[in-house]
Amino acid sequence: MRSYAAQRALLAVVQLAVLSVLVFVLTSLLPGDAAELRFTETLTPEQVARLRGELGLDQPAPERFVHWLGNVLTGDLGTSLISGGPVVDIVRSSIGATLVLTVATLAVVVPLAVALGIVMGTRENGRIDRAITSVTLALSAIPDFVIAVVLVAVFSLRLGWLPATWIGGDLLASPVLLVLPVAVLFGRTVCLLSRQVRAGTINALHAEYVVQARRLGVPRRQLLLRHVLPNAAVPGVQELARTGDTLLGGVLVVEAIFAIPGFATALVDGVETRDIPTVQGLTLVLAVAALLINLTADLACNRLVPRTALLR
């Protein structure tokens, strides 16, 4: 286990190094820059050139990369070219809403998806299995923006039961603000996760060690909890990591429709204004979070794989 963890951690470091280069290169390829987009109409070309020099935009790319990477290694993500404040402050102010939305969605989706996956897996090709599969597949096939628009139109505009946006809202005081955004993210995630748990459950039930356990008279409850569920959880944990990546990045459609000032919104604003340090900082934070999530998932899967040599 320790050797595997060390190997995965080393691989994560290499991946992070490659990602840092890709983040810098790709953001540097964006057309225009902050000085050109923001001040072209009010400043002369000479003044724009002088401003680019003050912002360090006229330096060679390798020099800017070394400077940026050196700052990142010390925890400094740079300074926003638009607001003039530290990028770290933008990360702190935007990540809170996305984390709340992510945690709330996972808190609803994970228990339900695991339960549905086990129910479907233990009733393979039965009526319940087909019914749940049909419903979840139908939900996952509907685009998120369609679900969001319909929910807002029905529950906010027509019935007036739920708020349509987060504008001026306080989550701690009004958890009801989470209902519609979580409902939009629910369909696709619960379908993908439950089907992975279903597949893992079916594979585990057909495994030789489970068949042998049945022959030995191991009680069904003990068989499911101690031998089937850990093995069935492996594909579910891997899918959960991919789901966490998507949610942590912030679902742009959800943030846009419900006016959630989250991570994705800040990232899009940075791209639109060509605030390169902000885009680089936000993207790097997302990359680190994705690597940590997948590293944790891999270690959890390695831990969850049943030791079939000892069946107790």
Side-chain angles (χ1 to χ4, degrees):
M1 178 66 180
R2 292 181 180 178
S3 176
Y4 177 77
Q7 293 176 2
R8 285 295 291 113
L10 180 60
L11 178 60
V13 172
V14 175
Q15 291 173 329
L16 183 58
V18 174
L19 282 172
S20 65
V21 175
L22 290 176
V23 166
F24 184 87
V25 171
L26 293 177
T27 52
S28 299
L29 293 177
L30 289 173
D33 55 39
E36 294 177 354
L37 292 180
R38 189 176 183 185
F39 300 106
T40 297
E41 297 180 357
T42 59
L43 299 180
T44 65
E46 292 77 13
Q47 291 173 318
V48 172
R50 189 182 316 114
L51 180 60
R52 294 185 75 251
E54 294 174 358
L55 296 175
L57 300 175
D58 60 342
Q59 298 177 358
E63 183 177 341
R64 285 187 285 117
F65 174 73
V66 172
H67 179 71
W68 173 73
L69 185 60
N71 289 337
V72 167
L73 294 176
T74 62
D76 181 9
L77 297 180
T79 302
S80 170
L81 300 180
I82 303 301
S83 67
V87 175
V88 173
D89 291 345
I90 298 177
V91 173
R92 291 172 181 169
S93 63
S94 61
I95 200 172
T98 301
L99 282 177
V100 169
L101 182 59
T102 300
V103 172
T105 302
L106 293 178
V108 174
V109 167
V110 172
L112 182 58
V114 171
L116 290 177
I118 294 176
V119 169
M120 290 188 293
T122 54
R123 293 166 175 81
E124 182 182 3
N125 296 325
R127 292 182 179 180
I128 295 178
D129 181 22
R130 291 196 296 268
I132 296 176
T133 299
S134 299
V135 173
T136 54
L137 283 177
L139 286 176
S140 67
I142 304 175
D144 291 340
F145 74 89
V146 174
I147 298 177
V149 171
V150 171
L151 291 179
V152 170
V154 174
F155 293 101
S156 296
L157 301 182
R158 186 175 182 83
L159 299 177
W161 292 352
L162 298 169
T165 69
W166 274 25
I167 295 178
D170 182 1
L171 177 62
L172 297 179
S174 304
V176 70
L177 294 170
L178 279 170
V179 175
L180 290 183
V182 169
V184 174
L185 298 174
F186 173 82
R188 190 180 307 277
T189 52
V190 77
C191 174
L192 296 175
L193 188 56
S194 63
R195 290 193 62 79
Q196 291 294 332
V197 175
R198 173 188 181 274
T201 301
I202 292 174
N203 290 335
L205 287 173
H206 289 85
E208 292 184 3
Y209 70 93
V210 173
V211 175
Q212 180 64 21
R214 287 175 175 172
R215 293 171 182 163
L216 295 175
V218 176
R220 178 179 175 82
R221 180 183 179 86
Q222 180 181 348
L223 185 66
L224 290 175
L225 294 179
R226 297 188 60 180
H227 305 297
V228 174
L229 184 57
N231 195 31
V234 172
V237 170
Q238 294 171 337
E239 181 62 39
L240 181 60
R242 290 189 288 270
T243 301
D245 290 347
T246 302
L247 294 177
L248 188 60
V251 180
L252 181 58
V253 173
V254 172
E255 291 190 359
I257 291 179
F258 296 101
I260 301 174
F263 218 79
T265 302
L267 185 58
V268 171
D269 290 343
V271 172
E272 290 179 347
T273 58
R274 298 301 187 271
D275 191 354
I276 301 302
T278 297
V279 175
Q280 291 172 340
L282 294 174
T283 307
L284 188 63
V285 170
L286 287 177
V288 171
L291 287 175
L292 291 177
I293 290 173
N294 284 280
L295 175 62
T296 303
D298 286 346
L299 295 178
C301 290
N302 181 263
R303 183 70 176 177
L304 287 170
V305 171
R307 272 54 176 174
T308 57
L310 295 175
L311 184 58
R312 294 182 294 176

Short mmCIF file of all heavy atoms in Angstrom, two decimals, residues 201-264:
data_model
loop_
_atom_site.label_atom_id
_atom_site.label_comp_id
_atom_site.label_asym_id
_atom_site.label_seq_id
_atom_site.Cartn_x
_atom_site.Cartn_y
_atom_site.Cartn_z
N THR A 201 -21.43 -4.23 -8.59
CA THR A 201 -22.19 -5.21 -7.81
C THR A 201 -22.40 -6.49 -8.60
O THR A 201 -22.24 -7.61 -8.07
CB THR A 201 -23.55 -4.61 -7.41
OG1 THR A 201 -23.35 -3.42 -6.65
CG2 THR A 201 -24.35 -5.61 -6.59
N ILE A 202 -22.75 -6.36 -9.87
CA ILE A 202 -22.97 -7.55 -10.71
C ILE A 202 -21.69 -8.36 -10.86
O ILE A 202 -21.68 -9.60 -10.74
CB ILE A 202 -23.51 -7.13 -12.09
CG1 ILE A 202 -24.92 -6.55 -11.95
CG2 ILE A 202 -23.51 -8.31 -13.06
CD1 ILE A 202 -25.48 -5.98 -13.23
N ASN A 203 -20.58 -7.67 -11.10
CA ASN A 203 -19.30 -8.38 -11.23
C ASN A 203 -18.93 -9.09 -9.94
O ASN A 203 -18.42 -10.23 -9.96
CB ASN A 203 -18.20 -7.39 -11.62
CG ASN A 203 -18.35 -6.89 -13.04
OD1 ASN A 203 -18.96 -7.54 -13.88
ND2 ASN A 203 -17.81 -5.70 -13.31
N ALA A 204 -19.17 -8.42 -8.82
CA ALA A 204 -18.83 -9.03 -7.54
C ALA A 204 -19.70 -10.25 -7.25
O ALA A 204 -19.23 -11.27 -6.73
CB ALA A 204 -18.97 -8.00 -6.42
N LEU A 205 -20.98 -10.16 -7.58
CA LEU A 205 -21.90 -11.28 -7.31
C LEU A 205 -21.55 -12.51 -8.15
O LEU A 205 -21.85 -13.64 -7.75
CB LEU A 205 -23.34 -10.84 -7.59
CG LEU A 205 -23.96 -9.88 -6.58
CD1 LEU A 205 -25.33 -9.41 -7.06
CD2 LEU A 205 -24.08 -10.55 -5.21
N HIS A 206 -20.93 -12.28 -9.30
CA HIS A 206 -20.55 -13.41 -10.16
C HIS A 206 -19.11 -13.87 -9.92
O HIS A 206 -18.65 -14.79 -10.60
CB HIS A 206 -20.72 -13.03 -11.64
CG HIS A 206 -22.16 -12.92 -12.06
ND1 HIS A 206 -22.89 -11.78 -11.89
CD2 HIS A 206 -22.99 -13.84 -12.63
CE1 HIS A 206 -24.12 -11.97 -12.36
NE2 HIS A 206 -24.21 -13.21 -12.80
N ALA A 207 -18.41 -13.22 -9.00
CA ALA A 207 -17.03 -13.60 -8.73
C ALA A 207 -17.00 -14.97 -8.04
O ALA A 207 -17.92 -15.36 -7.30
CB ALA A 207 -16.35 -12.55 -7.86
N GLU A 208 -15.90 -15.70 -8.24
CA GLU A 208 -15.79 -17.05 -7.71
C GLU A 208 -15.83 -17.07 -6.18
O GLU A 208 -16.43 -17.98 -5.59
CB GLU A 208 -14.50 -17.70 -8.20
CG GLU A 208 -14.48 -17.98 -9.70
CD GLU A 208 -13.23 -18.70 -10.13
OE1 GLU A 208 -12.42 -19.03 -9.24
OE2 GLU A 208 -13.06 -18.95 -11.34
N TYR A 209 -15.21 -16.08 -5.55
CA TYR A 209 -15.17 -16.11 -4.09
C TYR A 209 -16.54 -15.86 -3.49
O TYR A 209 -16.87 -16.37 -2.42
CB TYR A 209 -14.15 -15.08 -3.55
CG TYR A 209 -14.54 -13.63 -3.73
CD1 TYR A 209 -15.21 -12.95 -2.73
CD2 TYR A 209 -14.22 -12.94 -4.89
CE1 TYR A 209 -15.55 -11.63 -2.88
CE2 TYR A 209 -14.56 -11.62 -5.06
CZ TYR A 209 -15.22 -10.96 -4.05
OH TYR A 209 -15.56 -9.64 -4.21
N VAL A 210 -17.40 -15.08 -4.17
CA VAL A 210 -18.76 -14.86 -3.69
C VAL A 210 -19.60 -16.12 -3.90
O VAL A 210 -20.40 -16.51 -3.04
CB VAL A 210 -19.40 -13.64 -4.40
CG1 VAL A 210 -20.87 -13.51 -4.02
CG2 VAL A 210 -18.66 -12.38 -4.03
N VAL A 211 -19.43 -16.75 -5.06
CA VAL A 211 -20.15 -18.01 -5.33
C VAL A 211 -19.78 -19.06 -4.30
O VAL A 211 -20.64 -19.79 -3.77
CB VAL A 211 -19.84 -18.51 -6.76
CG1 VAL A 211 -20.47 -19.88 -6.99
CG2 VAL A 211 -20.35 -17.50 -7.79
N GLN A 212 -18.49 -19.14 -3.97
CA GLN A 212 -18.04 -20.10 -2.97
C GLN A 212 -18.59 -19.75 -1.59
O GLN A 212 -18.95 -20.64 -0.82
CB GLN A 212 -16.50 -20.13 -2.94
CG GLN A 212 -15.90 -21.09 -1.94
CD GLN A 212 -16.25 -22.54 -2.25
OE1 GLN A 212 -16.59 -22.89 -3.39
NE2 GLN A 212 -16.17 -23.41 -1.25
N ALA A 213 -18.68 -18.45 -1.30
CA ALA A 213 -19.23 -18.04 -0.01
C ALA A 213 -20.68 -18.45 0.12
O ALA A 213 -21.14 -18.86 1.20
CB ALA A 213 -19.10 -16.53 0.14
N ARG A 214 -21.42 -18.36 -0.96
CA ARG A 214 -22.81 -18.81 -0.94
C ARG A 214 -22.89 -20.31 -0.66
O ARG A 214 -23.75 -20.78 0.10
CB ARG A 214 -23.48 -18.50 -2.27
CG ARG A 214 -23.78 -17.02 -2.49
CD ARG A 214 -24.32 -16.80 -3.89
NE ARG A 214 -24.72 -15.42 -4.11
CZ ARG A 214 -25.08 -14.93 -5.28
NH1 ARG A 214 -25.07 -15.72 -6.36
NH2 ARG A 214 -25.45 -13.66 -5.40
N ARG A 215 -22.00 -21.06 -1.28
CA ARG A 215 -22.00 -22.51 -1.06
C ARG A 215 -21.70 -22.85 0.39
O ARG A 215 -22.20 -23.84 0.93
CB ARG A 215 -20.97 -23.17 -1.97
CG ARG A 215 -21.31 -23.08 -3.46
CD ARG A 215 -20.15 -23.57 -4.29
NE ARG A 215 -20.42 -23.45 -5.72
CZ ARG A 215 -19.50 -23.50 -6.67
NH1 ARG A 215 -18.21 -23.71 -6.31
NH2 ARG A 215 -19.83 -23.39 -7.94
N LEU A 216 -20.85 -22.00 1.01
CA LEU A 216 -20.48 -22.25 2.41
C LEU A 216 -21.54 -21.75 3.38
O LEU A 216 -21.40 -21.92 4.59
CB LEU A 216 -19.15 -21.56 2.72
CG LEU A 216 -17.93 -22.09 1.96
CD1 LEU A 216 -16.69 -21.25 2.27
CD2 LEU A 216 -17.68 -23.56 2.31
N GLY A 217 -22.59 -21.13 2.84
CA GLY A 217 -23.69 -20.70 3.68
C GLY A 217 -23.49 -19.36 4.36
O GLY A 217 -24.11 -19.10 5.40
N VAL A 218 -22.63 -18.52 3.82
CA VAL A 218 -22.45 -17.18 4.39
C VAL A 218 -23.76 -16.41 4.27
O VAL A 218 -24.36 -16.38 3.18
CB VAL A 218 -21.32 -16.42 3.66
CG1 VAL A 218 -21.19 -15.00 4.20
CG2 VAL A 218 -20.01 -17.17 3.82
N PRO A 219 -24.26 -15.81 5.34
CA PRO A 219 -25.53 -15.07 5.28
C PRO A 219 -25.49 -13.97 4.22
O PRO A 219 -24.44 -13.36 3.98
CB PRO A 219 -25.67 -14.48 6.69
CG PRO A 219 -24.84 -15.38 7.56
CD PRO A 219 -23.70 -15.82 6.70
N ARG A 220 -26.63 -13.74 3.57
CA ARG A 220 -26.70 -12.77 2.48
C ARG A 220 -26.28 -11.38 2.92
O ARG A 220 -25.55 -10.69 2.21
CB ARG A 220 -28.12 -12.73 1.92
CG ARG A 220 -28.32 -11.72 0.79
CD ARG A 220 -29.75 -11.76 0.28
NE ARG A 220 -29.99 -10.73 -0.71
CZ ARG A 220 -29.67 -10.85 -2.00
NH1 ARG A 220 -29.11 -11.94 -2.45
NH2 ARG A 220 -29.93 -9.85 -2.84
N ARG A 221 -26.72 -10.96 4.11
CA ARG A 221 -26.38 -9.62 4.59
C ARG A 221 -24.88 -9.47 4.77
O ARG A 221 -24.28 -8.48 4.35
CB ARG A 221 -27.10 -9.34 5.92
CG ARG A 221 -26.82 -7.97 6.51
CD ARG A 221 -27.51 -7.82 7.86
NE ARG A 221 -27.23 -6.54 8.46
CZ ARG A 221 -27.91 -5.43 8.21
NH1 ARG A 221 -28.89 -5.43 7.33
NH2 ARG A 221 -27.59 -4.29 8.81
N GLN A 222 -24.25 -10.46 5.39
CA GLN A 222 -22.81 -10.43 5.59
C GLN A 222 -22.08 -10.48 4.25
O GLN A 222 -21.07 -9.80 4.05
CB GLN A 222 -22.38 -11.60 6.47
CG GLN A 222 -20.87 -11.67 6.73
CD GLN A 222 -20.49 -12.86 7.58
OE1 GLN A 222 -21.35 -13.52 8.15
NE2 GLN A 222 -19.19 -13.14 7.65
N LEU A 223 -22.61 -11.28 3.34
CA LEU A 223 -21.99 -11.40 2.01
C LEU A 223 -21.99 -10.06 1.29
O LEU A 223 -20.98 -9.66 0.69
CB LEU A 223 -22.74 -12.46 1.20
CG LEU A 223 -22.15 -12.81 -0.17
CD1 LEU A 223 -20.80 -13.48 -0.01
CD2 LEU A 223 -23.11 -13.71 -0.92
N LEU A 224 -23.11 -9.35 1.34
CA LEU A 224 -23.23 -8.07 0.65
C LEU A 224 -22.34 -7.01 1.28
O LEU A 224 -21.63 -6.27 0.59
CB LEU A 224 -24.68 -7.61 0.63
CG LEU A 224 -25.64 -8.39 -0.27
CD1 LEU A 224 -27.07 -7.89 -0.09
CD2 LEU A 224 -25.23 -8.27 -1.72
N LEU A 225 -22.38 -6.91 2.62
CA LEU A 225 -21.67 -5.84 3.30
C LEU A 225 -20.16 -6.05 3.33
O LEU A 225 -19.39 -5.09 3.16
CB LEU A 225 -22.20 -5.69 4.73
CG LEU A 225 -23.65 -5.22 4.88
CD1 LEU A 225 -24.05 -5.14 6.34
CD2 LEU A 225 -23.83 -3.85 4.21
N ARG A 226 -19.71 -7.28 3.51
CA ARG A 226 -18.29 -7.52 3.73
C ARG A 226 -17.53 -7.92 2.47
O ARG A 226 -16.31 -7.74 2.39
CB ARG A 226 -18.09 -8.60 4.79
CG ARG A 226 -18.63 -8.23 6.17
CD ARG A 226 -18.26 -9.24 7.22
NE ARG A 226 -16.81 -9.37 7.35
CZ ARG A 226 -16.21 -10.19 8.21
NH1 ARG A 226 -16.96 -10.95 9.00
NH2 ARG A 226 -14.91 -10.26 8.27
N HIS A 227 -18.24 -8.44 1.46
CA HIS A 227 -17.53 -8.96 0.30
C HIS A 227 -17.98 -8.34 -1.02
O HIS A 227 -17.15 -8.09 -1.88
CB HIS A 227 -17.68 -10.49 0.25
CG HIS A 227 -17.24 -11.19 1.50
ND1 HIS A 227 -15.94 -11.14 1.95
CD2 HIS A 227 -17.93 -11.91 2.41
CE1 HIS A 227 -15.84 -11.82 3.08
NE2 HIS A 227 -17.04 -12.30 3.38
N VAL A 228 -19.27 -8.12 -1.18
CA VAL A 228 -19.76 -7.57 -2.44
C VAL A 228 -19.60 -6.05 -2.48
O VAL A 228 -19.08 -5.49 -3.46
CB VAL A 228 -21.24 -7.96 -2.67
CG1 VAL A 228 -21.79 -7.25 -3.91
CG2 VAL A 228 -21.36 -9.46 -2.82
N LEU A 229 -20.03 -5.36 -1.43
CA LEU A 229 -20.02 -3.90 -1.44
C LEU A 229 -18.63 -3.30 -1.61
O LEU A 229 -18.46 -2.36 -2.40
CB LEU A 229 -20.67 -3.37 -0.16
CG LEU A 229 -20.83 -1.86 -0.07
CD1 LEU A 229 -21.64 -1.33 -1.25
CD2 LEU A 229 -21.49 -1.45 1.24
N PRO A 230 -17.58 -3.79 -0.91
CA PRO A 230 -16.25 -3.20 -1.14
C PRO A 230 -15.77 -3.31 -2.58
O PRO A 230 -15.20 -2.37 -3.13
CB PRO A 230 -15.34 -4.00 -0.18
CG PRO A 230 -16.26 -4.48 0.89
CD PRO A 230 -17.55 -4.77 0.20
N ASN A 231 -16.03 -4.46 -3.21
CA ASN A 231 -15.63 -4.63 -4.60
C ASN A 231 -16.49 -3.79 -5.54
O ASN A 231 -16.00 -3.22 -6.51
CB ASN A 231 -15.71 -6.10 -5.00
CG ASN A 231 -14.96 -6.39 -6.29
OD1 ASN A 231 -13.96 -5.74 -6.59
ND2 ASN A 231 -15.44 -7.35 -7.04
N ALA A 232 -17.78 -3.70 -5.25
CA ALA A 232 -18.68 -2.91 -6.07
C ALA A 232 -18.38 -1.42 -5.95
O ALA A 232 -18.69 -0.64 -6.87
CB ALA A 232 -20.13 -3.17 -5.66
N ALA A 233 -17.77 -1.02 -4.84
CA ALA A 233 -17.50 0.41 -4.63
C ALA A 233 -16.34 0.92 -5.48
O ALA A 233 -16.22 2.13 -5.68
CB ALA A 233 -17.19 0.67 -3.15
N VAL A 234 -15.49 0.01 -5.97
CA VAL A 234 -14.30 0.44 -6.71
C VAL A 234 -14.66 1.26 -7.95
O VAL A 234 -14.19 2.39 -8.10
CB VAL A 234 -13.43 -0.77 -7.08
CG1 VAL A 234 -12.30 -0.35 -8.01
CG2 VAL A 234 -12.85 -1.40 -5.81
N PRO A 235 -15.48 0.76 -8.89
CA PRO A 235 -15.84 1.61 -10.02
C PRO A 235 -16.63 2.83 -9.61
O PRO A 235 -16.54 3.89 -10.24
CB PRO A 235 -16.67 0.68 -10.92
CG PRO A 235 -17.16 -0.40 -10.01
CD PRO A 235 -16.08 -0.58 -9.00
N GLY A 236 -17.41 2.72 -8.52
CA GLY A 236 -18.16 3.87 -8.04
C GLY A 236 -17.25 4.98 -7.54
O GLY A 236 -17.49 6.17 -7.78
N VAL A 237 -16.19 4.60 -6.82
CA VAL A 237 -15.24 5.60 -6.32
C VAL A 237 -14.52 6.29 -7.48
O VAL A 237 -14.30 7.50 -7.46
CB VAL A 237 -14.22 4.94 -5.37
CG1 VAL A 237 -13.08 5.90 -5.04
CG2 VAL A 237 -14.91 4.48 -4.09
N GLN A 238 -14.17 5.52 -8.50
CA GLN A 238 -13.52 6.11 -9.67
C GLN A 238 -14.45 7.08 -10.39
O GLN A 238 -14.04 8.15 -10.81
CB GLN A 238 -13.07 4.99 -10.61
CG GLN A 238 -11.98 4.11 -10.03
CD GLN A 238 -11.69 2.89 -10.87
OE1 GLN A 238 -12.54 2.45 -11.65
NE2 GLN A 238 -10.49 2.33 -10.74
N GLU A 239 -15.70 6.71 -10.52
CA GLU A 239 -16.68 7.61 -11.15
C GLU A 239 -16.91 8.83 -10.27
O GLU A 239 -17.09 9.94 -10.77
CB GLU A 239 -18.00 6.87 -11.38
CG GLU A 239 -19.06 7.71 -12.06
CD GLU A 239 -18.64 8.16 -13.43
OE1 GLU A 239 -18.01 7.38 -14.16
OE2 GLU A 239 -18.94 9.31 -13.79
N LEU A 240 -16.90 8.62 -8.96
CA LEU A 240 -17.08 9.73 -8.03
C LEU A 240 -15.95 10.75 -8.17
O LEU A 240 -16.18 11.96 -8.06
CB LEU A 240 -17.14 9.21 -6.59
CG LEU A 240 -17.35 10.26 -5.49
CD1 LEU A 240 -18.67 10.99 -5.71
CD2 LEU A 240 -17.33 9.59 -4.12
N ALA A 241 -14.74 10.27 -8.43
CA ALA A 241 -13.62 11.18 -8.64
C ALA A 241 -13.85 12.04 -9.87
O ALA A 241 -13.61 13.25 -9.85
CB ALA A 241 -12.32 10.39 -8.78
N ARG A 242 -14.32 11.42 -10.94
CA ARG A 242 -14.61 12.20 -12.15
C ARG A 242 -15.75 13.18 -11.91
O ARG A 242 -15.73 14.33 -12.39
CB ARG A 242 -14.95 11.26 -13.30
CG ARG A 242 -13.76 10.46 -13.82
CD ARG A 242 -14.10 9.71 -15.09
NE ARG A 242 -14.98 8.58 -14.82
CZ ARG A 242 -14.55 7.35 -14.53
NH1 ARG A 242 -13.26 7.11 -14.45
NH2 ARG A 242 -15.40 6.37 -14.32
N THR A 243 -16.75 12.75 -11.14
CA THR A 243 -17.86 13.64 -10.80
C THR A 243 -17.36 14.81 -9.95
O THR A 243 -17.77 15.95 -10.15
CB THR A 243 -18.94 12.87 -10.03
OG1 THR A 243 -19.41 11.79 -10.83
CG2 THR A 243 -20.11 13.77 -9.68
N GLY A 244 -16.47 14.52 -9.00
CA GLY A 244 -15.92 15.58 -8.17
C GLY A 244 -15.14 16.59 -8.97
O GLY A 244 -15.19 17.79 -8.71
N ASP A 245 -14.40 16.11 -9.98
CA ASP A 245 -13.67 17.04 -10.86
C ASP A 245 -14.63 18.04 -11.51
O ASP A 245 -14.39 19.25 -11.52
CB ASP A 245 -12.95 16.26 -11.97
CG ASP A 245 -11.79 15.45 -11.42
OD1 ASP A 245 -11.43 15.68 -10.26
OD2 ASP A 245 -11.27 14.59 -12.14
N THR A 246 -15.73 17.52 -12.04
CA THR A 246 -16.69 18.37 -12.74
C THR A 246 -17.34 19.35 -11.79
O THR A 246 -17.46 20.55 -12.09
CB THR A 246 -17.78 17.50 -13.41
OG1 THR A 246 -17.16 16.59 -14.31
CG2 THR A 246 -18.77 18.36 -14.18
N LEU A 247 -17.76 18.86 -10.64
CA LEU A 247 -18.46 19.74 -9.70
C LEU A 247 -17.54 20.78 -9.09
O LEU A 247 -17.94 21.93 -8.90
CB LEU A 247 -19.10 18.89 -8.59
CG LEU A 247 -20.21 17.94 -9.02
CD1 LEU A 247 -20.69 17.11 -7.84
CD2 LEU A 247 -21.38 18.72 -9.61
N LEU A 248 -16.29 20.38 -8.79
CA LEU A 248 -15.36 21.32 -8.19
C LEU A 248 -15.03 22.45 -9.16
O LEU A 248 -14.83 23.59 -8.77
CB LEU A 248 -14.08 20.60 -7.76
CG LEU A 248 -13.08 21.43 -6.94
CD1 LEU A 248 -13.74 21.92 -5.67
CD2 LEU A 248 -11.85 20.63 -6.62
N GLY A 249 -14.94 22.11 -10.43
CA GLY A 249 -14.70 23.14 -11.42
C GLY A 249 -15.87 24.10 -11.55
O GLY A 249 -15.72 25.19 -12.09
N GLY A 250 -17.01 23.69 -11.03
CA GLY A 250 -18.18 24.55 -11.13
C GLY A 250 -18.88 24.33 -12.45
O GLY A 250 -18.27 24.44 -13.50
N VAL A 251 -20.13 23.96 -12.41
CA VAL A 251 -20.89 23.77 -13.64
C VAL A 251 -21.31 25.14 -14.13
O VAL A 251 -22.12 25.82 -13.50
CB VAL A 251 -22.11 22.87 -13.39
CG1 VAL A 251 -22.89 22.68 -14.69
CG2 VAL A 251 -21.66 21.53 -12.84
N LEU A 252 -20.74 25.53 -15.25
CA LEU A 252 -20.94 26.89 -15.76
C LEU A 252 -22.41 27.22 -15.99
O LEU A 252 -22.87 28.32 -15.67
CB LEU A 252 -20.15 27.09 -17.06
CG LEU A 252 -20.23 28.49 -17.69
CD1 LEU A 252 -19.75 29.53 -16.71
CD2 LEU A 252 -19.43 28.52 -18.97
N VAL A 253 -23.15 26.26 -16.52
CA VAL A 253 -24.57 26.51 -16.79
C VAL A 253 -25.31 26.81 -15.50
O VAL A 253 -26.11 27.76 -15.43
CB VAL A 253 -25.20 25.29 -17.50
CG1 VAL A 253 -26.70 25.45 -17.63
CG2 VAL A 253 -24.57 25.10 -18.88
N VAL A 254 -25.05 26.03 -14.47
CA VAL A 254 -25.74 26.22 -13.19
C VAL A 254 -25.37 27.55 -12.57
O VAL A 254 -26.23 28.29 -12.08
CB VAL A 254 -25.41 25.06 -12.23
CG1 VAL A 254 -25.96 25.32 -10.84
CG2 VAL A 254 -25.96 23.75 -12.77
N GLU A 255 -24.08 27.87 -12.59
CA GLU A 255 -23.65 29.14 -12.01
C GLU A 255 -24.21 30.33 -12.77
O GLU A 255 -24.55 31.36 -12.18
CB GLU A 255 -22.13 29.20 -11.97
CG GLU A 255 -21.51 28.23 -10.98
CD GLU A 255 -20.03 28.47 -10.77
OE1 GLU A 255 -19.47 29.38 -11.41
OE2 GLU A 255 -19.43 27.74 -9.97
N ALA A 256 -24.31 30.19 -14.09
CA ALA A 256 -24.82 31.30 -14.89
C ALA A 256 -26.31 31.51 -14.68
O ALA A 256 -26.77 32.64 -14.48
CB ALA A 256 -24.53 31.04 -16.37
N ILE A 257 -27.08 30.43 -14.70
CA ILE A 257 -28.54 30.56 -14.57
C ILE A 257 -28.95 31.01 -13.18
O ILE A 257 -29.85 31.85 -13.03
CB ILE A 257 -29.21 29.21 -14.92
CG1 ILE A 257 -29.04 28.92 -16.41
CG2 ILE A 257 -30.69 29.23 -14.54
CD1 ILE A 257 -29.65 27.62 -16.86
N PHE A 258 -28.29 30.50 -12.16
CA PHE A 258 -28.68 30.83 -10.79
C PHE A 258 -27.83 31.95 -10.18
O PHE A 258 -27.91 32.20 -8.98
CB PHE A 258 -28.60 29.58 -9.91
CG PHE A 258 -29.56 28.51 -10.30
CD1 PHE A 258 -29.14 27.41 -11.04
CD2 PHE A 258 -30.90 28.60 -9.97
CE1 PHE A 258 -30.02 26.42 -11.42
CE2 PHE A 258 -31.80 27.62 -10.35
CZ PHE A 258 -31.36 26.52 -11.08
N ALA A 259 -27.03 32.62 -11.02
CA ALA A 259 -26.23 33.76 -10.58
C ALA A 259 -25.36 33.40 -9.37
O ALA A 259 -25.29 34.14 -8.39
CB ALA A 259 -27.12 34.95 -10.24
N ILE A 260 -24.69 32.26 -9.46
CA ILE A 260 -23.82 31.81 -8.38
C ILE A 260 -22.40 32.33 -8.63
O ILE A 260 -21.80 32.00 -9.65
CB ILE A 260 -23.80 30.27 -8.30
CG1 ILE A 260 -25.21 29.74 -8.06
CG2 ILE A 260 -22.86 29.79 -7.20
CD1 ILE A 260 -25.31 28.23 -8.12
N PRO A 261 -21.87 33.13 -7.73
CA PRO A 261 -20.52 33.68 -7.94
C PRO A 261 -19.44 32.66 -7.61
O PRO A 261 -18.69 32.80 -6.65
CB PRO A 261 -20.49 34.86 -6.96
CG PRO A 261 -21.38 34.43 -5.84
CD PRO A 261 -22.49 33.61 -6.48
N GLY A 262 -19.36 31.62 -8.43
CA GLY A 262 -18.45 30.52 -8.14
C GLY A 262 -17.18 30.55 -8.96
O GLY A 262 -16.84 31.54 -9.62
N PHE A 263 -16.49 29.42 -8.94
CA PHE A 263 -15.17 29.31 -9.56
C PHE A 263 -15.24 29.43 -11.07
O PHE A 263 -14.44 30.12 -11.69
CB PHE A 263 -14.57 27.95 -9.17
CG PHE A 263 -13.11 27.99 -8.91
CD1 PHE A 263 -12.63 28.47 -7.70
CD2 PHE A 263 -12.20 27.57 -9.85
CE1 PHE A 263 -11.27 28.52 -7.45
CE2 PHE A 263 -10.85 27.60 -9.60
CZ PHE A 263 -10.38 28.08 -8.39
N ALA A 264 -16.22 28.76 -11.68
CA ALA A 264 -16.34 28.80 -13.13
C ALA A 264 -16.65 30.20 -13.62
O ALA A 264 -16.14 30.64 -14.65
CB ALA A 264 -17.41 27.81 -13.60
#
